[in-house]
Amino acid sequence: LICGGVVAQNAPAVLGIASSGAGGAVSSKVLLTKIITSVLLLHTLGFLVGYIAPKFGFKYTEKQSRTISIETGMQNSALAVVLARSIANADPIASLPGALSATAHSCLGSILAAYW
């Protein structure tokens, strides 16, 4: 619900031209590409490092390493949305990465858990 509301609130900016922090304009395609790439890298690296470090660095069991991987990869992105929205005079689009991240980590974490 929160993610859908944030995306809906930012739909005009995402579909059209979004303002950048530098005072210029950035195309919605560039904006979405940057956000999606960042979100996917954040969670992919979280899952990967969350598995490799315990498994090979600390010699945890397979089950423990997988659990740590899922917990590390599924960061609390909803908190990012709440914090971005709590800042006075913040551009509403500031909460969009957190909303997309919450959706992505839920999907990626579920896929990984089902695979394992």
Side-chain angles (χ1 to χ4, degrees):
L1 219 45
I2 292 173
C3 297
V6 170
V7 172
Q9 179 184 14
N10 290 292
V14 172
L15 296 175
I17 300 295
S19 64
S20 69
V26 61
S27 74
S28 60
K29 184 176 181 180
V30 171
L31 177 68
L32 281 177
T33 302
K34 286 181 179 182
I35 291 173
I36 291 171
T37 301
S38 298
V39 165
L40 290 176
L41 278 173
L42 170 72
H43 296 296
T44 301
L45 289 173
F47 288 122
L48 187 64
V49 172
Y51 177 78
I52 290 173
K55 179 73 174 168
F56 300 108
F58 299 104
K59 307 295 184 210
Y60 283 8
T61 66
E62 183 71 18
K63 187 175 181 178
Q64 290 171 322
S65 298
R66 288 179 179 184
T67 301
I68 293 169
S69 171
I70 291 172
E71 289 296 326
T72 305
M74 294 184 68
Q75 299 299 317
N76 192 351
S77 303
L79 179 61
V81 173
V82 172
L83 290 174
R85 295 185 87 149
S86 69
I87 299 171
N89 300 323
D91 190 347
I93 205 159
S95 58
L96 184 62
L100 295 177
S101 181
T103 304
H105 80 67
S106 296
C107 294
L108 292 172
S110 297
I111 290 168
L112 186 60
Y115 175 76
W116 275 339

